[in-house]
Amino acid sequence: MPGKIISAAALALTLAAGTQAHAGDNRAKITVVYDQKLPNVPGKSMKAVLVEYAPGGMSPGHTHPDSAFIYATVLEGAIRSAVNKGPEKTYKAGESFSEFPGDHHSVSANASKTEPAKLLAVFVLDTTETELTIDDK
């Protein structure tokens, strides 16, 4: 019984916090797939999001909470990325990159117009943070 309660709570958290899709455009689908307080670092949590890009899909320019350190790895396809006015780089499946607190992610897009791409982003941030991505205005 306790296992069913925990599973139901995890599913509810995923559904409540998790999916962001923008109908009628080519924005990435973002799903929270992991959320855990760090027992040895009070006030910090680890959260992971699956970012799914349709062919030609993208995420608008954005930042993350000031407390967030992010490690991202490409799971499928290839992702174009640029951070802090740096050069645009294409990361292929199996390649990774980091974003540091305060970084501005100006380009985040599928490198292919014909194939999907997936990215897993793992955040370490303040537990009180509820918005993982703040789109440019």
Side-chain angles (χ1 to χ4, degrees):
M1 186 68 161
K4 289 182 182 180
I5 292 170
I6 291 170
S7 295
L11 177 60
L13 175 65
T14 299
L15 293 175
T19 341
Q20 173 182 320
H22 302 275
D25 66 23
N26 64 346
R27 291 190 188 194
K29 176 184 173 189
I30 301 170
T31 307
V32 175
V33 295
Y34 185 81
D35 188 350
Q36 177 65 54
K37 290 180 182 177
L38 297 176
N40 60 336
V41 186
K44 295 290 184 180
S45 288
M46 181 180 291
K47 298 181 183 191
V49 296
L50 178 63
V51 183
E52 298 175 88
Y53 295 93
M58 50 73 69
S59 296
H62 60 273
T63 57
H64 300 285
D66 287 340
S67 68
F69 171 79
I70 301 150
Y71 168 80
T73 188
V74 179
L75 301 175
E76 176 183 323
I79 305 292
R80 293 185 301 111
S81 180
V83 177
N84 294 335
K85 299 182 183 178
E88 189 173 297
K89 182 172 179 186
T90 299
Y91 296 91
K92 297 176 183 170
E95 295 181 320
S96 303
F97 60 92
S98 297
E99 290 183 56
F100 295 91
D103 281 354
H104 179 254
H105 202 167
S106 58
V107 176
S108 183
N110 188 340
S112 174
K113 302 274 188 223
T114 60
E115 299 294 325
K118 291 182 184 175
L119 171 77
L120 180 68
V122 178
F123 292 67
V124 175
L125 74 170
D126 290 347
T127 299
T128 57
E129 295 291 356
T130 56
E131 295 291 323
L132 298 180
T133 302
I134 302 103
D135 290 349
D136 293 350
K137 297 196 187 317

